[in-house]
Amino acid sequence: MGHSCYDLTASDRRAWNAGKKVGTKRPLKPRQIWAIRFFLDRERRLRDRALFDLAIDSKLRGCDLVKIKIGNLIVGPEIRTRAMVIQQKTGRPVQFELMSDVRSSLLAWLERRDGTVDDYVFPSRIDPTAHMSTRQYARLVDEWVEAIGLRPEEYGTHSLRRTKASIIYKATGNLRAIQISLGHTKIENTVRYLGVDVEDALELSEATEV
């Protein structure tokens, strides 16, 4: 929505993408994943390590990731091997698997964080009863990638969402599985999201399903 030239409150208003590179963000490579993990472990940032690991494994959009509650992740005293959330964008449930190293980092954070099953896993800095904002999450991602020598303008929260999907696609070519894990309603959206050729991707996917 535009702003009138007579609107004095908008005279100093900057576009949200001013100075930023707009477009598809790059997924991380395996060595970059481990570099960020090493950085976070070295700095003893338990929350950030848990947030990063959960972002990679869950493949969730930032708006869904920051709203995850403790009860979504734990069963008894343990972290679930599979979890499910309802996506804000589609209103549909999406399930994801949590690997052992991710469960370990989440458990370490939750033991320090404390809280009940109704509390958010990653609370706001301003209001402990609220969840971390997507803006704060985005700033953290910028900090992480810059810490390992990457350009923040080329990466973002969607880089973490795309990372595991890209790794799985390269290993298996199974678009259907990736479509389900990302919560896409149409496989064409998954193809565009991965940034691959539509015809080649669909042919490879069909071949893997035979």
Side-chain angles (χ1 to χ4, degrees), residues 5 30 33 52 72 82 92 106 141 144 147 150 160 175 193:
C5 60
I33 295 173
F52 176 73
N72 294 129
R82 286 184 178 275
R92 296 187 176 190
L106 282 169
V141 173
W144 300 339
L150 301 178
L160 275 58
L175 273 177
Y193 199 77

Side-chain angles (χ1 to χ4, degrees), residues 41-82:
D41 287 345
R42 185 188 66 197
E43 299 297 316
R44 298 182 180 179
R45 292 165 63 167
L46 289 182
R47 183 205 62 179
D48 288 10
R49 171 65 194 268
L51 177 61
F52 176 73
D53 283 348
L54 184 58
I56 295 291
D57 257 22
S58 70
K59 303 175 289 297
L60 290 172
R61 297 178 181 88
C63 60
D64 295 321
L65 181 70
V66 297
K67 292 179 182 176
I68 289 182
K69 293 189 174 182
I70 294 175
N72 294 129
L73 298 181
I74 66 170
V75 54
E78 300 181 347
I79 302 294
R80 298 175 184 271
T81 56
R82 286 184 178 275

Side-chain angles (χ1 to χ4, degrees), residues 58-185:
S58 70
K59 303 175 289 297
L60 290 172
R61 297 178 181 88
C63 60
D64 295 321
L65 181 70
V66 297
K67 292 179 182 176
I68 289 182
K69 293 189 174 182
I70 294 175
N72 294 129
L73 298 181
I74 66 170
V75 54
E78 300 181 347
I79 302 294
R80 298 175 184 271
T81 56
R82 286 184 178 275
M84 180 182 294
V85 300
I86 303 297
Q87 299 174 98
Q88 177 179 299
K89 183 175 182 179
T90 66
R92 296 187 176 190
V94 62
Q95 189 178 65
F96 50 89
E97 185 176 3
L98 296 170
M99 306 305 289
S100 60
D101 54 342
V102 177
R103 296 198 301 271
S104 295
S105 64
L106 282 169
L107 186 60
W109 162 241
L110 290 177
E111 286 178 345
R112 172 182 289 185
R113 188 249 184 275
D114 207 2
T116 71
V117 293
D118 294 319
D119 290 328
Y120 294 105
V121 176
F122 306 106
S124 164
R125 295 175 301 172
I126 301 172
D127 180 3
T129 65
H131 60 76
M132 174 187 291
S133 69
T134 53
R135 186 180 294 273
Q136 183 185 358
Y137 171 44
R139 284 197 293 262
L140 288 171
V141 173
D142 285 348
E143 183 182 345
W144 300 339
V145 298
E146 190 170 22
I148 65 167
L150 301 178
R151 294 165 56 87
E153 58 268 27
E154 295 180 353
Y155 297 85
T157 59
H158 265 283
S159 295
L160 275 58
R161 174 165 157 78
R162 295 181 65 217
T163 292
K164 195 165 186 178
S166 297
I167 292 173
I168 293 172
Y169 178 71
K170 288 179 181 179
T172 68
N174 191 332
L175 273 177
R176 303 291 179 185
I178 298 170
Q179 177 192 1
I180 294 171
S181 67
L182 289 174
H184 287 163
T185 54

Side-chain angles (χ1 to χ4, degrees), residues 162 169 175 178-179 182 184 186-202 205:
R162 295 181 65 217
Y169 178 71
L175 273 177
I178 298 170
Q179 177 192 1
L182 289 174
H184 287 163
K186 297 180 180 179
I187 198 166
E188 290 79 6
N189 294 337
T190 306
V191 173
R192 285 194 293 271
Y193 199 77
L194 292 173
V196 296
D197 181 83
V198 177
E199 292 185 1
D200 290 346
L202 292 176
S205 182

